[in-house]
Amino acid sequence: MDTLNRILIKYFKRDLEKVTGVQIDSSKVEKGDLFFAINGGNNYINDALERGASLIIGDNRSLINDDKVIKVENTIEILQELAKIYIKNLKVKVIGITGSEGKTTTKDIIFSVLSEKYRCIKTQGNYNNQIGLPFTIFSLRDEDQVAILEMGMSSFGEIERLCEIAKPDFAVITNIGDSHLEFLINRENVFKAKTELLKYVLEENVIIYGDDFYLQNLNGIKVGQDNNNNYIISDVISTFAGVNFSLNNEKYSIPLNGIHNCLNSSFAIVMGKLLNLNIKEIQKGLSNIKLTNMRFEKIYKSDKIYINDAYNASPVSMKASIDTFRDLPTEMDKLMFLGDMLELGENEIAYHKDILDYCLKMKDIKVFIYGERMKKALDILRTDKIKYISDKEEMIKIIQPLKEVIILLKGSRGMKLEEIII
């Protein structure tokens, strides 16, 4: 981390011990790390020192006086500013990915494809906000060539701030959906917030979902199934193991289920072409995809298969998950356990009712729901084709005696439906 050490010495105008890594969690600090004491982190400065931190940046309220501790007015602002300076001094191409759904999966696929030719890093887990993105930037090393950064938000100005820090060279906007309506009220505002990214990236380096109502009139490289797109998805064939499809008549296969993953993979194919990968390299990257956990993840338990898609949920992603599950070619009996979708604002019950209406069209699939919003929606529908379950222990009791079944778990993160996997 020679570049970072030069930046730190210049920024703080003093000689400092050499930094070998960066942490924001004191329990993960190792000898030589720089520890940012954010969000109450002053309480853990002594812990970081004992673990061998070579430098600590805390705020002015800290009572600890040590040559290794630098006190600042706002630790998060310094984290962001140093990350901004750091990435600017690296020879790295930056890809910013945003959208209401599919960000993480698209990030994972792009990483898999581009890693066939370049040394890449990507956002880990859900580190996609005002703290997580700069922290991810500090995982870059001088020899890295591509940074694939997920950009999340819940309100106006947040994407813009992330772009100010990371200065993306390329952008992917996956779609405009109903996530964060609790804060942004409607999709028009989601569109405005997500597209703050566009003023930082040349339109020839912007990849967008061309079938999306809000994105279709933007300038950029459009990907989708409609014929007016620059890259057209066609000839989709689903199997239990994944999907085969064509993009502008070039054939590809992915070890993922769902037509929505043809779209996510197509974003990666186009990005690969922009960065001069050939078809063979791209397909090899697609074949080696390793998704972040809880994204339609198949978990095998004796005579049961769980589809753990329980990381998060919105109306769009819920329907996509249901469709993908419905279309899985299998002789096994199918059950769905669906939890509440959070952060949908004042119309949240209407969104849940719409999902339950959608479920009523499913044939030969038993549907169970969990959560107060789902229950309120079911009370409106008054149907006995969908069963409300009040607690997870009851869900487990339903599942335990079953054999040769495949079970979909889908809900927002706060519902933690993965806890019923036995």
Side-chain angles (χ1 to χ4, degrees):
M1 305 193 74
D2 292 341
T3 299
L4 178 58
N5 282 286
R6 288 196 299 270
I7 289 169
L8 291 170
I9 290 169
K10 184 176 181 180
Y11 189 87
F12 290 111
K13 298 181 174 62
R14 54 183 273 194
D15 289 331
L16 300 166
E17 284 191 30
K18 187 175 181 180
V19 166
T20 56
V22 177
Q23 291 294 344
I24 55 175
D25 180 346
S26 65
S27 68
K28 296 180 180 178
V29 169
E30 296 180 354
K31 183 175 176 58
D33 281 346
L34 159 59
F35 172 58
F36 285 93
I38 61 174
N39 293 340
N42 280 347
N43 297 326
Y44 302 96
I45 288 177
N46 276 329
D47 182 36
L49 287 170
E50 290 173 3
R51 289 174 178 270
S54 61
L55 179 64
I56 295 173
I57 299 175
D59 66 45
N60 290 330
R61 291 171 293 181
S62 173
L63 300 177
I64 297 174
N65 294 310
D66 189 289
D67 289 342
K68 293 182 179 181
V69 180
I70 295 177
K71 300 178 184 180
V72 298
E73 183 67 29
N74 188 310
T75 314
I76 292 176
E77 286 184 3
I78 297 299
L79 170 76
Q80 295 174 345
E81 183 63 21
L82 288 173
K84 178 181 177 180
I85 297 169
Y86 181 50
I87 199 167
K88 183 179 179 181
N89 280 271
L90 297 175
K91 295 178 181 179
V92 61
K93 296 291 185 184
V94 180
I95 301 168
I97 303 172
T98 194
S100 297
E101 289 88 22
K103 294 186 295 295
T104 301
T105 300
T106 298
K107 170 203 71 182
D108 289 338
I109 302 172
I110 289 176
F111 175 82
S112 185
V113 168
L114 296 186
S115 292
E116 292 299 318
K117 189 180 180 79
Y118 301 102
R119 182 180 169 111
C120 306
I121 68 104
K122 65 176 179 176
T123 302
Q124 296 298 315
N126 62 343
Y127 284 117
N128 63 8
N129 60 12
Q130 309 288 305
I131 294 171
L133 180 136
F135 176 63
T136 299
I137 286 173
F138 285 120
S139 69
L140 284 161
R141 297 297 179 263
D142 293 346
E143 60 270 26
D144 288 325
Q145 297 168 291
V146 180
I148 304 153
L149 303 178
E150 187 177 328
M151 295 182 169
M153 63 93 210
S154 59
S155 192
F156 292 115
E158 294 180 8
I159 294 291
E160 181 154 14
R161 179 56 182 153
L162 297 180
C163 289
E164 288 173 352
I165 297 167
K167 291 292 193 297
D169 302 287
F170 300 89
V172 178
I173 307 179
T174 61
N175 74 329
I176 303 298
D178 300 311
S179 301
H180 307 302
L181 292 188
E182 182 179 354
F183 309 103
L184 290 169
I185 310 302
N186 55 49
R187 285 194 183 187
E188 286 77 10
N189 286 337
V190 176
F191 170 73
K192 291 175 184 176
K194 295 292 187 184
T195 52
E196 290 171 359
L197 190 154
L198 295 180
K199 75 180 194 180
Y200 291 87
V201 183
L202 297 173
E203 65 182 50
E204 59 263 33
N205 289 339
V206 175
I207 306 171
I208 55 179
Y209 179 27
D211 298 348
D212 187 283
F213 175 80
Y214 292 92
L215 300 176
Q216 60 186 349
N217 293 321
L218 295 178
N219 293 326
I221 303 170
K222 297 175 184 176
V223 181
Q225 292 181 284
D226 292 347
N227 288 329
N228 60 345
N229 288 299
N230 303 103
Y231 286 86
I232 301 168
I233 300 167
S234 62
D235 304 324
V236 177
I237 301 173
S238 296
T239 69
F240 190 82
V243 183
N244 302 318
F245 67 99
S246 295
L247 187 67
N248 283 6
N249 298 316
E250 294 176 353
K251 296 185 182 299
Y252 296 95
S253 63
I254 54 175
L256 309 174
N257 297 108
I259 191 169
H260 59 288
N261 279 320
C262 295
L263 175 64
N264 297 334
S265 298
S266 294
F267 292 141
I269 293 167
V270 176
M271 186 60 65
K273 290 178 178 289
L274 289 177
L275 290 178
N276 303 312
L277 273 74
N278 59 42
I279 294 176
K280 185 177 180 180
E281 290 169 327
I282 291 171
Q283 180 56 67
K284 186 177 179 184
L286 293 176
S287 299
N288 294 327
I289 295 169
K290 292 180 177 62
L291 292 187
T292 302
N293 293 340
M294 293 194 283
R295 270 73 174 187
F296 214 81
E297 176 186 9
K298 296 187 181 82
I299 299 175
Y300 293 82
K301 296 281 188 177
S302 62
D303 53 1
K304 300 177 181 70
I305 302 175
Y306 292 88
I307 304 293
N308 184 2
D309 202 21
Y311 181 77
N312 221 332
S314 69
V316 172
S317 69
M318 183 74 83
K319 287 183 178 179
S321 188
I322 291 169
D323 286 346
T324 302
F325 184 68
R326 176 200 62 205
D327 294 339
L328 277 178
T330 177
E331 298 298 319
M332 302 176 77
D333 291 334
K334 293 180 178 178
L335 291 78
M336 296 193 297
F337 287 83
L338 308 179
D340 282 355
M341 301 174 290
L342 306 180
E343 298 184 1
L344 292 180
E346 61 183 16
N347 294 318
E348 62 180 6
I349 304 306
Y351 286 114
H352 286 77
K353 178 180 176 294
D354 181 55
I355 292 298
L356 297 188
D357 278 328
Y358 198 68
C359 289
L360 290 175
K361 301 172 186 177
M362 302 294 112
K363 294 182 179 180
D364 303 320
I365 300 179
K366 294 180 181 179
V367 182
F368 301 87
I369 59 170
Y370 172 71
E372 61 181 57
R373 295 161 184 82
M374 282 292 187
K375 185 178 186 303
K376 288 178 181 178
L378 184 61
D379 289 343
I380 296 171
L381 284 178
R382 297 179 180 275
T383 177
D384 58 2
K385 293 182 179 179
I386 298 173
K387 185 176 180 181
Y388 169 70
I389 308 296
S390 60
D391 63 71
K392 292 172 185 171
E393 288 300 320
E394 187 179 351
M395 293 185 197
I396 292 171
K397 288 178 182 178
I398 292 171
I399 294 169
Q400 273 180 329
L402 300 176
K403 298 182 183 299
E404 298 299 319
V405 293
I406 184 166
I407 303 160
L408 173 67
L409 309 178
K410 183 67 176 176
S412 281
R413 183 79 303 268
M415 306 311 292
K416 298 182 180 178
L417 283 177
E418 72 281 358
E419 291 177 349
I420 73 170
I421 297 174
I422 55 175

